[in-house]
Amino acid sequence: ISRNGNNLVFGNGEMGLNIQSKGDVYLNGQKVVTTGTNGLNADKVGGVDANLYARKDQNNDWSGVQTYSNAAPLRFVVGNVQGSAIPIQFMSAKSNKGNVGYISKSDGDGMSISPDGNNELLGLYSDRTYTTGHLVFAGGTEKDIRFGNGHMGFYFKEDGNGRLGAWDWNKNRLIWRYDTDTNYMEMGEAPKWQGRRLFLQDPQPQGDVPYGSIWIGF
């Protein structure tokens, strides 16, 4: 033990120094942490290499499955200041095609799905949904497009013939239907032209029969 100026020196460069204590060792009131049973390593955090942790100031490559179990939202801030205008990008891992899909903020109050980051294929807005490409419904035997809480809409039934029609699901009745095998349109009710209706039925029409309507019985 010696004094060197304002420093109190324990040991020297000729011998090792081993400080022992019954309990923890403190320096200026702070506990001295050593390797020992604590597993302290300057290159690891919790026993995991430090380079496996994500950093906020660098790009990160997530190779494991990321699961979000709480109710906190996952936010992508877009714009020229805080981030990219195309926050979600899908890249091909099997070829050198680069990016193959994008999900980004669209012009105005909406978002878009694009195959190349420039041409908007599908746009989602608060008041509309549109596409610049073909809308194809595949798989299954029947596909529906319904309006007004599902009350009315169109359907396509892919059976042996193939049928395209309009249906009233609220009242469970046919509006019109076209069959590919017959190549003609079938109407669920007598149509109306310029305020007059054409009835093709055996019993006399009842109800809404405007003046000047035509009835052909059997």
Side-chain angles (χ1 to χ4, degrees), residues 3-25:
R3 177 177 178 178
N4 184 0
N6 294 328
N7 297 319
L8 182 63
V9 180
F10 286 80
N12 53 44
E14 301 294 332
M15 297 179 295
L17 179 63
N18 186 351
I19 301 176
Q20 297 186 6
S21 172
K22 181 179 180 180
D24 296 327
V25 177

Side-chain angles (χ1 to χ4, degrees), residues 1-205:
I1 301 176
S2 63
R3 177 177 178 178
N4 184 0
N6 294 328
N7 297 319
L8 182 63
V9 180
F10 286 80
N12 53 44
E14 301 294 332
M15 297 179 295
L17 179 63
N18 186 351
I19 301 176
Q20 297 186 6
S21 172
K22 181 179 180 180
D24 296 327
V25 177
Y26 293 85
L27 176 64
N28 291 332
Q30 301 296 324
K31 180 180 177 181
V32 177
V33 180
T34 60
T35 56
T37 58
N38 293 319
L40 183 63
N41 189 323
D43 297 327
K44 293 186 177 182
V45 179
V48 180
D49 289 341
N51 58 8
L52 295 179
Y53 286 91
R55 290 181 53 176
K56 296 176 63 176
D57 61 338
Q58 291 186 355
N59 296 332
N60 298 282
D61 185 4
W62 303 84
S63 59
V65 177
Q66 309 302 316
T67 302
Y68 298 88
S69 300
N70 56 26
L74 180 61
R75 297 178 177 177
F76 296 90
V77 180
V78 299
N80 296 328
V81 177
Q82 298 190 52
S84 172
I86 307 177
I88 303 179
Q89 304 177 12
F90 297 90
M91 303 182 66
S92 174
K94 296 183 179 180
S95 65
N96 296 322
K97 295 182 179 180
N99 293 351
V100 295
Y102 301 82
I103 300 179
S104 62
K105 182 182 181 301
S106 180
D107 293 336
D109 185 16
M111 60 179 295
S112 68
I113 299 176
S114 170
D116 56 9
N118 297 316
N119 300 307
E120 188 174 39
L121 179 62
L122 179 64
L124 303 176
Y125 289 85
S126 59
D127 58 347
R128 67 190 184 280
T129 300
Y130 77 95
T131 178
T132 57
H134 299 288
L135 188 60
V136 179
F137 297 90
T141 58
E142 183 172 329
K143 297 90 178 176
D144 302 333
I145 301 177
R146 304 190 182 192
F147 307 96
N149 295 325
H151 293 167
M152 295 184 186
F154 303 101
Y155 74 93
F156 177 76
K157 190 171 184 179
E158 192 170 359
D159 52 13
N161 301 325
R163 301 176 181 178
L164 174 66
W167 190 268
D168 183 351
W169 281 277
N170 189 38
K171 297 182 179 179
N172 193 28
R173 61 187 181 185
L174 176 69
I175 301 174
W176 60 263
R177 178 177 63 197
Y178 168 78
D179 294 349
T180 57
D181 61 335
T182 60
N183 196 28
Y184 59 73
M185 180 181 295
E186 178 182 349
M187 306 294 294
E189 297 291 339
K192 178 184 288 187
W193 290 281
Q194 296 178 321
R196 299 171 176 84
R197 300 182 67 185
L198 173 61
F199 295 90
L200 302 175
Q201 61 188 56
D202 190 22
Q204 182 176 347

